[in-house]
Amino acid sequence: MSSTTESRELRRDRRNRTAPRTRLDPFPRDPVARWMLRLGIATPLVLLALLFESVPRPTTSPNAHLMDDVAAIDWTRGDAEWLALLYPHVTTFVAASNPFGRLGLSIIGAIAAGFLLQKVAEIIAQRSIPRSTGTILIIALAANPLFVYFALENLPGFLAMTFFGLALADLVRFVNWGNTESGFRAGILIMLSALSDPIGIMFALVAVLASPFLRHGRASAPGLRAANMLVLAFPTLGAFATMMFLNVLFFGSLWPQNVLQSIVSGIPDAWETLLAGYGTPTGWLLVAPVVSAWLVAAIVRRPAAIPVSTIVFALLTGAFLLGAFHPGAAGITFTLLTLLAITLIPAARTPLTNVLVDLVAVLQIAIAWSAAFDRDVVLAWMQSIAGAFGFVIA
């Protein structure tokens, strides 16, 4: 009798035993729990988007411009130049097939936020970042008006950021741990990011230029870093090279001339706007995220991360001057640098460094809220949300 009881207990123990987590495991490991996490993150944002329908929506947001651009498309054309004018193709087709107008765009952004933050939690779990630090980092990234506005009012930029965030996890697996499948997947996700918004081209450059600074898990070999960069960049280069080849073949120019002329003509105004932003009393908020990235890199003794964040900031500045930022966009710099810090900088290994990283993460929360109140477009959006709450309560 006792032997039968012991055998039952052994079988029960085998069923309940959980294998140790590895660096390639998803989070949560149970698919149902994973989808519940995504839905749990997306649901508050979906409810907020529905609530926002009760008040006038801002006419200067990127989603408003996207709807105007889609309405102006001549769908009877089919030439090579028309194909280039459809850029960014992913969000153009998403918006064109969406029957719910701007509300539908906001709901898609909310769902994308669920996927992005679930992936961020997965990265934190895979890299064995302490739970306290991971919680503070996720709060710093998402629990602020900049992130919510970004998700609900800038679908092109947020889809580009989501694809980029998904690609980062695969990029780390590819470079650090030599997982070739992850490298191909990262390249495709980077291409989708670049085809979702002009800022996605900058995200693609960030991913490709950051990869040589990561620790390579495979044996060193001549040309290894260059080969990794090519694997990551190839799908994006192929997509744009195809469109440019068709334009040169049929129209004699790499891209529609009116688009190139508008980019060049907008640089002086963008430069003046940038200088004016730095000249304000709160201009330090523009560089605060990159300084925070430097601090974390110094705390965890990863000096290679400092040039990465500096390159990213320089690319962001160049993207702004070239008009890659939509009018009314906000939160891109903060979200990108925080996401890179979570993904690329190694976890602290001593209690003291854990505490210092936590303090910098708490500082990020203050920076995000300060920047939200400093941006007129986000402040007006927050006031509209407050009005919507008042309308519902009344």
Side-chain angles (χ1 to χ4, degrees):
M1 184 69 177
S2 60
S3 62
T4 304
T5 304
E6 290 176 0
S7 62
R8 287 176 180 172
E9 290 178 353
L10 285 172
R11 286 196 297 270
R12 189 183 302 114
D13 181 64
R14 291 193 191 98
R15 286 196 300 268
N16 295 334
R17 189 179 300 154
T18 302
R21 170 172 288 280
T22 71
R23 58 195 178 190
L24 296 178
D25 283 340
F27 178 84
R29 281 193 275 191
D30 179 27
V32 175
R34 201 153 56 243
W35 278 100
M36 292 300 294
L37 177 60
R38 292 166 183 158
L39 291 174
I41 294 169
T43 297
L45 295 177
V46 171
L47 294 177
L48 193 59
L50 294 171
L51 175 67
F52 203 38
E53 284 295 290
S54 63
V55 295
R57 308 192 70 169
T59 58
T60 57
S61 73
N63 279 357
H65 290 289
L66 176 61
M67 294 303 298
D68 292 340
D69 291 342
V70 169
I73 292 174
D74 179 8
W75 293 101
T76 62
R77 291 177 58 180
D79 53 81
E81 189 175 35
W82 177 78
L83 180 63
L85 290 172
L86 290 180
Y87 180 80
H89 300 84
V90 172
T91 45
T92 296
F93 287 117
V94 167
S97 58
N98 157 50
F100 302 107
R102 288 182 61 183
L103 174 62
L105 299 184
S106 295
I107 291 175
I108 295 170
I111 295 171
F115 279 87
L116 176 61
L117 294 180
Q118 178 269 323
K119 182 58 67 174
V120 171
E122 182 175 289
I123 292 169
I124 289 172
Q126 289 175 341
R127 300 179 62 240
S128 301
I129 293 176
R131 186 171 299 178
S132 61
T133 303
T135 302
I136 297 173
L137 286 170
I138 290 180
I139 291 173
L141 174 66
N144 61 75
L146 283 178
F147 183 87
V148 178
Y149 175 86
F150 190 13
L152 299 185
E153 292 296 331
N154 186 0
L155 181 65
F158 197 77
L159 274 184
M161 182 71 75
T162 300
F163 286 128
F164 173 73
L166 298 177
L168 279 180
D170 286 310
L171 185 150
V172 172
R173 292 193 193 104
F174 172 55
V175 176
N176 284 76
W177 305 325
N179 189 294
T180 306
E181 178 186 354
S182 295
F184 292 129
R185 192 161 52 237
I188 292 172
L189 289 167
I190 290 169
M191 177 193 70
L192 291 174
S193 177
L195 293 176
S196 296
D197 189 73
I199 198 67
I201 299 174
M202 192 275 298
F203 294 161
L205 286 172
V206 168
V208 172
L209 295 177
S211 64
F213 293 93
L214 295 174
R215 184 180 66 255
H216 284 61
R218 288 169 289 185
S220 180
L224 175 62
R225 285 176 169 78
N228 288 344
M229 294 171 71
L230 181 60
V231 169
L232 296 171
F234 183 78
T236 304
L237 292 175
F240 282 91
T242 299
M243 287 186 285
M244 290 179 179
F245 172 76
L246 290 173
N247 274 285
V248 170
L249 185 63
F250 293 102
F251 301 100
S253 65
L254 291 174
W255 206 256
Q257 289 297 317
N258 59 332
V259 176
L260 297 176
Q261 290 170 359
S262 64
I263 291 173
V264 174
S265 62
I267 292 177
D269 291 339
W271 177 251
E272 292 181 6
T273 302
L274 187 65
L275 292 179
Y278 282 114
T280 62
T282 55
W284 62 273
L285 290 170
L286 296 172
V287 298
V290 71
V291 174
S292 297
W294 292 345
L295 286 174
V296 174
I299 290 169
V300 299
R301 298 181 180 180
R302 188 66 179 273
I306 293 178
V308 172
S309 56
T310 306
I311 291 170
V312 170
F313 189 73
L315 289 173
L316 283 166
T317 302
F320 179 82
L321 293 177
L322 294 174
F325 284 76
H326 284 283
I332 295 176
T333 301
F334 174 84
T335 305
L336 175 62
L337 288 171
T338 305
L339 185 60
L340 283 172
I342 293 172
T343 306
L344 303 181
I345 295 178
R349 296 304 179 190
T350 67
L352 176 60
T353 52
N354 281 334
V355 171
L356 292 175
V357 171
D358 289 352
L359 290 175
V360 176
V362 171
L363 177 63
Q364 287 292 93
I365 299 174
I367 290 171
W369 280 87
S370 300
F373 282 100
D374 188 57
R375 292 297 307 271
D376 291 338
V377 62
V378 180
L379 187 59
W381 179 81
M382 292 166 62
Q383 292 169 344
S384 297
I385 291 291
F389 273 111
F391 176 80
V392 172
I393 295 172

